[in-house]
Amino acid sequence: MRSFIVVALFSLGLSITVDGQTLSGTVVNAQRTPLNAVTVSVPALHRYGVTDSGGHFRFTNIPHGTFAVEFSIIGYRDMTYIVACNGDSTYVGATLSISPLIIPSLI
């Protein structure tokens, strides 16, 4: 009986690993310059990350489905892309546009 439970649990874990996929991409500005330190999130999955110096991000073990992927960094407009994750990997190329900072006067 114990060996059956161990095999069943191992099979379940293997199934979860096979179903997971990769969601990756690159974030650039309007001039196609990669953006470093952009916060990238998939709120429905409680997954968060930050782009590297080349503007790249990567999430692993993403389940199949359609998700909102949010991008934010100070000085640029926040963007949300709706992404369908249905294969082994999904790529998102995001372009952020500049948003001026408005600082209210103190007088």
Side-chain angles (χ1 to χ4, degrees):
M1 181 66 167
R2 286 185 183 175
S3 62
F4 174 75
I5 293 171
V6 170
V7 170
L9 290 174
F10 177 73
S11 297
L12 178 63
L14 184 61
S15 155
I16 290 170
T17 302
V18 170
D19 287 343
Q21 64 176 339
T22 301
L23 171 62
S24 62
T26 305
V27 183
V28 297
N29 64 17
Q31 290 74 38
R32 308 311 252 169
T33 303
L35 295 175
N36 183 31
V38 175
T39 300
V40 183
S41 64
V42 185
L45 301 176
H46 305 286
R47 302 287 300 271
Y48 305 91
V50 177
T51 58
D52 63 16
S53 60
H56 302 102
F57 67 91
R58 178 183 169 117
F59 296 107
T60 57
N61 295 321
I62 301 294
H64 292 271
T66 301
F67 305 100
V69 181
E70 299 177 351
F71 303 90
S72 65
I73 187 170
I74 293 175
Y76 290 84
R77 288 192 181 108
D78 293 351
M79 294 290 296
T80 300
Y81 287 69
I82 304 301
V83 178
C85 299
N86 297 318
D88 290 334
S89 64
T90 302
Y91 180 84
V92 178
T95 302
L96 302 185
S97 56
I98 292 176
S99 176
L101 293 174
I102 300 172
I103 301 171
S105 67
L106 299 175
I107 299 176

